[in-house]
Amino acid sequence: MSDTSEISWVRRLLTRPLYSGRIRYTPMRDLLRGRIGERLNWRARLDRAALSAPIADAIRRIVRRTRLWRIEKAEVADELIAHFSDGLTTGASVDDLLRDFGDERAAAKLIRRAKRRGRPLTWHAMKWTGRAFILLVILYAITFVRFLLSRPTVSVDYVAKLNAPILSTPVQDRAWPLYRQAMIAMELDGRYTRVGIKSETDARAGHPLDRFLDPDADHNTVGARQLIDATPSDAAWPQLEGWLTKHAEGIALLRAAADKPAMGFVVGKGGSQHDPELGWTSGGSDEYRGLASQTLLGVLLPHLNHMRAMAMILAADVRYARHHRDGARVVADLRAMIAMGRHNDLPLVVTRLVGIGIYRAAFDSLEETLANDPDLLSDRQLIEVAHDLSTIGGDTASSLIDLTAERMMFHDVVQRAYTDDGNGDGILTPEGARLLADVTAMTTLRGSAPPPSSETMLMAIGSAASLVSSRRDALAELDGALDLQERHYARPLREAGDNDDVDRLLDLRMREIRGNPVLLARHYLFSMMFPALTRAAWTAGTALGQREGLLVGIALELHRRRHGEYPATLEVLTPTLLPRVPADRITGAPVRYALTKGRPVIYSLGVDRDDDGGRAVVHPRDKRPSASFAAEWGKPDDSPRYDGDWILYDGRSQKVGH
Amino acid sequence: MKIERELMRGAGPTAVLRLLEGGERYGYELVTLLEQRTKGVLAMGQSTLYPLLYNLEAKGMILARLDITADNGRPRKYYRLTDKGKRQLAADREQWEALTTAMTSLGIVGG
């Protein structure tokens, strides 16, 4: 038989009315076994039962109302057919049978309930799973709608709060106006700012000190940084001298600014960050930062790099003054640098770190002066500088590092992202999701995967609204982490243990969050906003150590002048020239003192706790002596790379880089 | 006498299990026996019997068998007690005995 004739035979067979009807009334399990019957055709059996019309109709109604599966209906119908047939056989009347049977609707309902109970376990499991799914969908829909309808309540103006002490300073006492005049007078490039560089054009704006380059030269062979660091023995020294001479007025303005009691840099839009004359316009940044520009997080501090650059200019001027034997100018510059460091007093980590950097520049300049020109400064001048030094910080890192503005930033973002239920709690809002997207864009490194758009973030947050931390939990997490840092800063580092412990804990926590999508959804705000505070305590601790070393160095110099030689021990200096011998910040014992080739060195034993007689560690990277490489807290480490001491003051003429 | 629904809810299944203890029976037969042996007291509506039977079947206390050779020529479903049903009947019997004793001691049942 050919293929076409086989197909037509099968087609004829399947389309035969009787055959197609029987298949229709055969349960699937029977069909799969090849058993074709009419088990499901209970209507035909009802017809064949020849029951009276009222009974047959009642059976049809009851079976239909059960709304059961076809096979269950067939079973129920068969049972009812048998029941009424048996009843009629016993001689009962149709009316009696129907009356005794009871209410049809109730019967159908009870039969349906009972039959469904008897269904397979898998059916019940699927039923409950389906209900659970529907419940989840409803809960999700409610959560999502609640999320979409929520709005934040901004109750605190944190920018105003941060500006309050600044604005309370009389205008004539504010240093910033003079600093900006100094920048203009010295022709510093105001366009340079680390924050907000998004294009090569911005990057080409260059370093604030690019103006050092002589535009008239045939070619510039000396970079700005080399120029500013030039010493009298360098080839670039005459060029530096020329620049400093040309901009003496600007440098004088710088000293005048440093003499003011307060910085007076007004933060926020409309404040000092908007300065078209310096090339600081916030429009582009606002677009870049989106909603974040409305928060404290969006505050720009474009002056910080310039403060650092101006401190470098003063350091160069110290070398110039020293070269020309002008002690008064040296002291004026040193005191101005110390004041500049103090002017970076906004309670924000980045500002304080810039301030510490400026202090370190002053410390290095002073140390060079004492080492290379010990007789240049008079006793009175040394005492003036010592007095300024002693006002810098205190015993712990908390005297230099302040996290108040960081905390205010968090609270500001939270109040703009979350609702407020009046009890300190609330949920994330759509505006909050957009704000998080903008914060993400701000904190994402260039070259990394592009940050999610606001719409993507909105949908992601909305779909996981129940996963995201509540307002209370978000604040508790952020505040808790900051509290941990502040407690760490408030203790002497040798008591706090390994000064990386807190940093490491927080770093581990960040990795844990970022490595888990559920945790990331929940702790997104924390993961995006918590600042990188790694080594902030170390930076403060080493600066304070160097300051203490310098105070001892000054005392030693004064003693040498009075007695013709350096003392045998540091205790001799107390209490006249030194209130007390400072403690080694790593061991807690008094700092060490040694005379090398007749010149003093003050040092800490360093992390190896081994007295190397004031020998600095050779830095593993640049192979040069490093004064502070051995400054590590925690367990002693006598590995070769830490073989040496932490130099706090080096009175020897050879300069050691800090 | 019509028994209250709540009482019937407890008595009905036990009564049916007891009737099946004597051997397998079909639906109408059970209806008739309940009427006759209890003098109509436990005569539940026939619309209630079949759901009750389906519930007992779902709980595994009774098992159904379709007999296609019934004496009236039509297929008929017979029900019989399972081991689980027997255990349940024994437990119900104990409870009813305890209840009857308690009611008797209160003077509610008996003389």
Side-chain angles (χ1 to χ4, degrees):
Chain A
M1 191 182 288
S2 67
D3 286 346
T4 48
S5 61
E6 268 187 0
I7 291 167
S8 64
W9 176 83
V10 170
R11 189 180 291 133
R12 277 202 302 277
L13 179 66
L14 290 177
T15 53
R16 277 174 65 186
L18 179 62
Y19 204 80
S20 60
R22 292 183 73 191
I23 288 175
R24 197 173 130 209
Y25 291 116
T26 303
M28 183 54 71
R29 72 180 87 135
D30 291 354
L31 206 58
L32 292 171
R33 288 178 186 136
R35 278 184 255 159
I36 298 174
E38 286 193 309
R39 262 218 293 164
L40 301 181
N41 196 0
W42 58 272
R43 292 179 196 277
R45 289 196 291 282
L46 182 58
D47 292 340
R48 284 198 293 273
L51 295 169
S52 66
I55 288 177
D57 289 343
I59 291 174
R60 284 194 198 92
R61 283 193 298 270
I62 292 167
V63 172
R64 191 186 72 243
R65 281 184 180 134
T66 61
R67 294 182 286 118
L68 290 167
W69 294 341
R70 291 170 71 198
I71 193 162
E72 291 170 332
K73 280 185 181 174
E75 289 170 359
V76 170
D78 287 344
E79 185 120 45
L80 293 178
I81 291 169
H83 169 84
F84 284 105
S85 298
D86 290 337
L88 290 170
T89 305
T90 61
S93 70
V94 170
D95 290 341
D96 285 344
L97 284 173
L98 287 173
R99 185 196 63 235
D100 290 342
F101 188 80
D103 182 63
E104 290 176 17
R105 284 179 196 275
K109 188 176 165 185
L110 290 171
I111 289 171
R112 173 181 168 77
R113 192 186 296 169
K115 273 295 193 182
R116 279 161 62 94
R117 265 198 204 120
R119 285 180 179 172
L121 204 58
T122 47
W123 179 86
H124 288 283
M126 283 175 60
K127 179 185 80 175
W128 286 109
T129 304
R131 285 181 183 177
F133 178 74
I134 290 168
L135 187 64
L136 277 175
V137 169
I138 291 170
L139 284 174
Y140 170 81
I142 293 171
T143 309
F144 192 68
V145 168
R146 187 167 161 243
F147 163 74
L148 286 178
L149 295 177
S150 60
R151 293 287 177 272
T153 308
V154 180
S155 55
V156 180
D157 183 348
Y158 283 99
V159 174
K161 209 168 170 180
L162 197 60
N163 274 332
I166 300 168
L167 292 171
S168 68
T169 305
V171 174
Q172 64 270 20
D173 289 341
R174 296 181 197 176
W176 174 246
L178 285 175
Y179 279 130
R180 67 177 295 281
Q181 281 184 36
M183 281 174 61
I184 293 167
M186 290 187 287
E187 300 172 283
L188 294 187
D189 189 343
R191 287 174 297 152
Y192 178 81
T193 172
R194 286 187 194 279
V195 178
I197 293 182
K198 296 284 276 181
S199 67
E200 286 306 312
T201 307
D202 284 338
R204 280 199 295 273
H207 191 278
L209 295 175
D210 274 354
R211 295 291 179 157
F212 277 111
L213 298 174
D214 182 353
D216 297 325
D218 291 334
H219 58 272
N220 294 310
T221 58
V222 178
R225 191 57 197 259
Q226 281 178 280
L227 189 58
I228 200 65
D229 284 346
T231 64
S233 59
D234 292 334
W237 179 252
Q239 194 175 350
L240 176 60
E241 279 195 312
W243 191 92
L244 292 171
T245 306
K246 181 182 172 189
H247 295 94
E249 187 187 326
I251 296 171
L253 278 168
L254 201 50
R255 293 193 202 100
D259 201 36
K260 294 291 183 181
M263 179 63 167
F265 187 92
V266 181
V267 300
K269 286 185 189 180
S272 308
Q273 72 183 50
H274 183 75
D275 196 330
E277 196 174 357
L278 293 178
W280 296 349
T281 52
S282 54
S285 292
D286 280 356
E287 187 186 324
Y288 165 57
R289 290 159 185 257
L291 284 176
S293 67
Q294 298 169 15
T295 72
L296 194 54
L297 200 62
V299 159
L300 298 176
L301 301 170
H303 65 301
L304 289 181
N305 280 316
H306 300 82
M307 291 294 286
R308 221 184 335 239
M310 290 191 286
M312 290 163 68
I313 291 171
L314 282 176
D317 200 67
V318 167
R319 288 195 298 281
Y320 175 91
R322 207 164 57 230
H323 183 66
H324 292 277
R325 311 298 301 164
D326 187 346
R329 187 164 169 170
V330 166
V331 169
D333 287 340
L334 287 173
R335 299 189 74 187
M337 289 169 77
I338 292 170
M340 283 182 73
R342 192 166 48 246
H343 277 160
N344 283 274
D345 61 353
L346 206 59
L348 194 61
V349 169
V350 65
T351 312
R352 293 302 180 93
L353 289 176
V354 168
I356 292 173
I358 294 173
Y359 286 144
R360 298 293 287 264
F363 298 164
D364 289 348
S365 295
L366 175 58
E367 188 182 77
E368 282 173 28
T369 303
L370 289 172
N372 298 321
D373 289 285
D375 297 314
L376 180 61
L377 305 184
S378 67
D379 286 12
R380 186 184 59 80
Q381 287 170 335
L382 279 177
I383 291 169
E384 279 177 4
V385 172
H387 181 264
D388 285 358
L389 283 179
S390 63
T391 63
I392 297 173
D395 290 333
T396 62
S398 60
S399 62
L400 293 179
I401 305 286
D402 191 335
L403 300 176
T404 302
E406 265 79 14
R407 200 182 291 271
M408 288 166 71
M409 275 184 193
F410 295 155
H411 285 239
D412 195 21
V413 169
V414 167
Q415 72 164 351
R416 291 170 189 274
Y418 283 84
T419 58
D420 185 353
D421 68 356
N423 292 320
D425 210 350
I427 60 169
L428 193 67
T429 65
E431 275 180 54
R434 289 189 201 96
L435 179 55
L436 289 185
D438 292 337
V439 169
T440 306
M442 269 177 61
T443 54
T444 301
L445 293 171
R446 210 159 36 136
S448 307
S453 67
S454 288
E455 291 74 21
T456 307
M457 182 69 79
L458 198 63
M459 292 311 296
I461 295 293
S463 64
S466 58
L467 287 179
V468 177
S469 287
S470 68
R471 178 184 179 125
R472 178 177 289 134
D473 288 348
L475 278 174
E477 182 164 41
L478 291 166
D479 283 335
L482 284 177
D483 290 344
L484 188 66
Q485 282 286 2
E486 284 180 344
R487 280 198 296 276
H488 179 59
Y489 293 156
R491 299 169 68 190
L493 288 174
R494 65 175 172 277
E495 290 175 18
D498 186 341
N499 69 351
D500 286 337
D501 266 351
V502 172
D503 290 339
R504 195 177 300 128
L505 271 173
L506 289 169
D507 184 55
L508 279 172
R509 179 66 180 148
M510 282 296 181
R511 285 172 194 272
E512 183 189 16
I513 289 171
R514 288 174 183 163
N516 184 317
V518 173
L519 286 181
L520 185 61
R522 181 155 185 79
H523 302 281
Y524 193 79
L525 191 63
F526 178 77
S527 71
M528 281 297 119
M529 286 204 60
F530 197 77
L533 297 172
T534 307
R535 302 293 271 179
W538 182 91
T539 303
T542 50
L544 291 171
Q546 191 181 6
R547 180 204 65 156
E548 283 153 0
L550 277 168
L551 284 169
V552 177
I554 290 173
L556 284 169
E557 178 55 30
L558 288 169
H559 184 276
R560 183 192 69 82
R561 292 176 186 189
R562 290 175 191 179
H563 301 280
E565 60 182 6
Y566 290 109
T569 65
L570 294 180
E571 282 72 18
V572 173
L573 301 171
T574 65
T576 317
L577 295 171
L578 205 61
R580 62 180 187 284
V581 177
D584 180 333
R585 284 180 171 263
I586 292 179
T587 67
V591 293
R592 298 296 175 109
Y593 162 55
L595 286 171
T596 308
K597 296 177 186 173
R599 301 293 297 166
V601 59
I602 305 298
Y603 60 99
S604 152
L605 296 187
V607 69
D608 67 356
R609 310 298 202 272
D610 186 33
D611 191 342
D612 294 295
R615 174 173 56 80
V617 173
V618 174
H619 198 288
R621 193 169 58 236
D622 58 21
K623 307 300 180 199
R624 291 170 56 190
S626 168
S628 57
F629 192 77
E632 293 291 343
W633 283 264
K635 298 193 189 84
D637 186 345
D638 60 359
S639 56
R641 67 185 187 139
Y642 288 124
D643 182 28
D645 297 322
W646 172 20
I647 310 302
L648 304 174
Y649 167 72
D650 194 343
R652 299 167 290 200
S653 60
Q654 186 171 356
K655 182 174 181 299
V656 173
H658 276 276
Chain B
M1 169 198 245
K2 191 165 169 51
I3 300 298
E4 278 192 17
R5 194 172 155 191
E6 289 304 315
L7 286 175
M8 200 58 193
R9 195 173 278 175
T14 306
V16 168
L17 290 176
R18 171 67 185 98
L19 289 176
L20 292 175
E21 193 181 27
E24 65 176 19
R25 302 192 190 279
Y26 56 91
Y28 194 81
E29 188 181 7
L30 286 168
V31 167
T32 310
L33 284 172
L34 275 171
E35 168 80 38
Q36 289 170 359
R37 294 203 188 169
T38 66
K39 297 182 174 51
V41 171
L42 291 184
M44 61 182 73
Q46 292 158 18
S47 61
T48 313
L49 175 70
Y50 290 101
L52 190 152
L53 288 171
Y54 300 149
N55 274 328
L56 289 173
E57 190 179 8
K59 290 175 185 173
M61 292 184 197
I62 62 176
L63 211 56
R65 173 183 73 85
L66 190 67
D67 184 351
I68 58 172
T69 60
D71 52 11
N72 61 3
R74 295 191 184 90
R76 184 188 277 153
K77 197 183 257 188
Y78 284 83
Y79 295 93
R80 63 175 173 79
L81 213 56
T82 63
D83 289 342
K84 186 176 179 185
K86 287 174 188 170
R87 287 195 297 273
Q88 183 62 42
L89 179 58
D92 288 351
R93 187 175 264 135
E94 219 175 291
Q95 295 218 1
W96 279 105
E97 280 172 1
L99 186 63
T100 309
T101 304
M103 289 301 194
T104 304
S105 64
L106 288 173
I108 295 173
V109 176

